[in-house]
Amino acid sequence: MSNDTVKIFDTTLRDGEQSPGCSMTTSEKLKVAKELVALGVDIIEAGFPIASPGDFDAVRKIATQFGDQTTICGLARCRKEDIDRAWEALKEAKNSRIHVFLATSSIHREHKLKMSKEQIIETAVEMVKRARDYCPDIEFSPEDAARTEKDFLCEVVERAIEAGASTVNIPDTVGYATPAHFHDVITTLKKNVSNIDQAIISTHCHNDLGLAVANSLAAVEAGARQIECTINGLGERAGNCALEEVVMALKTRADYYGVNTNINTKRLYPISHLVSTVTGMTVQRNKAIVGKNAFAHEAGIHQHGVLQERTTYEIMSPEDVGYVGTNLVLGKHSGRHAFRDRVQSLGHTLDDATFERIFNEFITLADKKKEIYDSDIVALIENQVSDAPEKWSIARFHTSAGTGTIATATIELADEDGKIHCDAATGDGPVDAVFRALERITGISAVLEQYHVGSVSSGKDAQGEVRVEVRINGELFTGRSVSTDIIESSAKAYLQAINKAVGRGEN
């Protein structure tokens, strides 16, 4: 293969957000988009504009703010109203792309679309041309391409390119393909589509069989030059091709693939944790590239080898991906200059107001903890990420629990006008009592689906990070908070999820 560039098409804000419980507010999407620009992605698929007013607003704002720095893309079905709405959201961007899709496999044609092959081709051509009238950069996806008859797939792709598509994306929509199979699909297109050299071949692989990254790499090996992926592999069902994994595979094995990307890999770890914080989806410890264990060595023989020469057991360095460990760095006597320098070295750029808030929280934390670690600083920064509307905030709380006693919690919440509301509840332990008291005051009944507690750094005085997932009126909401007191952290995380539900109901 030639030594050229593979474009990275990030769809965290569209396909990734479709993962249950991973919805983001517009302000959260803007923060993620900003980091995606800093990461160096070539295209950001910002959303599905016709899906909802919120999606439209997010795509429009991202296009306006970042469309001069990278290409902003909006998704549209092969329908006139979808394409018109997508362009309305994208038109302020200097660099924009409309991504249209239409299913082509026999199972989709028969059971979902009720359309013949001829109707599929006619519709695809008409809608690509309509999109092309708005925008010169058009991407066409034959949905479920991996299960589409190859001769028909070649015909659809050829006609879409002829109509004006400059990128043809080949989706493995249900994660059905294997690497050899997917390589053959891309090779078939290159051999049999007469105008294939007029478009970039892209790949969009799902992870139902755990092969999304492997299939994407096979496609690159066969000639694809765009990969559609998401941070942390978020997405429908088992997720998508993980951006951090496929990028580092191409970089680490450049000797084999002979291609490069425009990704600043030192930004991979920070953005992974930003997306995890925003969506509430925890990154598993043994996750490749960005998991906490990715650069940990437990076996004695491994530790010995790494001490002698890191490359004995590490094929990439932690610094390559911006890994943040638990290095001890600062104390309560550290000044603003030292703190700002450390924040910047960790890959974060903060405005003055946010910096002051985090610095004050750092000083407060330093009074509670003897030792402050890099991971503590990152946790303080990530705590500022959520912009859930705060209808309720905790003024004070008290809990009582112990062996042979009934756990109780008394809480004072302040509403938007500053009025204090107080109530108490009992429960099966102090955390349960706190949650019940919060529900009594806010008047919201929630079902706790997930509750996770973990330490941010080491030591008995470490900050406890609590993540919750609750179901309110049938919809999932997430909350996250950190504190040296896990009861306080639990209360704030639960209240954050309730505030999100309240905000959703008012919009």
Side-chain angles (χ1 to χ4, degrees), residues 94-290:
K94 182 179 179 181
N95 305 297
S96 58
R97 172 182 294 187
I98 298 176
H99 179 190
V100 296
F101 71 95
L102 184 62
T104 54
S105 67
S106 59
I107 193 167
H108 278 250
R109 295 196 308 267
E110 179 182 352
H111 298 287
K112 186 178 79 171
L113 299 177
K114 313 294 185 185
M115 294 171 68
S116 66
K117 290 181 178 180
E118 292 74 20
Q119 290 173 315
I120 294 287
I121 291 175
E122 181 182 350
T123 302
V125 168
E126 180 186 357
M127 293 301 108
V128 168
K129 285 182 176 179
R130 186 180 187 89
R132 186 66 175 77
D133 287 340
Y134 285 128
C135 174
D137 189 350
I138 304 301
E139 177 171 331
F140 173 73
S141 289
E143 187 185 5
D144 204 21
R147 294 193 296 175
T148 300
E149 307 93 322
K150 288 180 183 177
D151 58 342
F152 181 55
L153 180 63
C154 288
E155 184 179 3
V156 173
V157 167
E158 184 165 314
R159 294 294 300 277
I161 295 172
E162 187 180 283
S166 50
T167 300
V168 285
N169 178 50
I170 310 303
D172 181 22
T173 305
V174 293
Y176 178 75
T178 63
H181 167 201
F182 210 58
H183 185 284
D184 184 55
V185 170
I186 304 302
T187 301
T188 298
L189 291 171
K190 288 182 69 69
K191 286 182 178 179
N192 296 287
V193 175
S194 63
N195 55 2
I196 196 69
D197 59 335
Q198 297 174 28
I200 292 173
I201 299 177
S202 174
T203 177
H204 181 117
C205 295
H206 278 262
N207 206 40
D208 296 72
L209 294 176
L211 295 171
V213 171
N215 288 337
S216 299
L217 292 171
V220 168
E221 195 173 354
R225 286 299 177 265
Q226 177 179 288
I227 298 173
E228 303 198 359
C229 45
T230 61
I231 302 298
N232 298 336
L234 291 180
E236 292 273 12
R237 304 180 312 280
N240 287 272
C241 172
L243 183 151
E244 62 279 358
E245 294 179 22
V246 77
V247 164
M248 289 308 296
L250 292 175
K251 180 176 180 177
T252 305
R253 292 308 312 274
D255 60 316
Y256 179 77
Y257 291 104
V259 295
N260 56 70
T261 71
N262 292 318
I263 297 298
N264 175 6
T265 62
K266 294 182 184 297
R267 305 290 306 175
L268 289 172
Y269 193 85
I271 195 170
S272 166
H273 281 258
L274 170 66
V275 170
S276 175
T277 298
V278 166
T279 62
M281 291 287 282
T282 305
V283 176
Q284 75 248 35
R285 296 186 68 93
N286 65 333
K287 168 82 166 62
I289 313 301
V290 292

Side-chain angles (χ1 to χ4, degrees), residues 62-109:
I62 291 170
T64 302
Q65 290 192 32
F66 304 110
D68 60 341
Q69 300 171 62
T70 190
T71 298
I72 308 300
C73 177
L75 184 68
R77 292 166 297 184
C78 276
R79 297 182 180 180
K80 294 178 181 179
E81 58 271 26
D82 281 39
I83 292 168
D84 296 347
R85 190 67 168 161
W87 176 245
E88 186 66 25
L90 293 167
K91 64 182 182 181
E92 297 301 323
K94 182 179 179 181
N95 305 297
S96 58
R97 172 182 294 187
I98 298 176
H99 179 190
V100 296
F101 71 95
L102 184 62
T104 54
S105 67
S106 59
I107 193 167
H108 278 250
R109 295 196 308 267

Side-chain angles (χ1 to χ4, degrees), residues 431 435 448-453 466-469 486-487 490:
V431 172
F435 290 172
L448 182 65
E449 299 278 355
Q450 295 286 338
Y451 175 74
H452 179 267
V453 182
V466 174
R467 295 173 184 257
V468 300
E469 185 177 285
I486 62 169
I487 306 298
S490 299

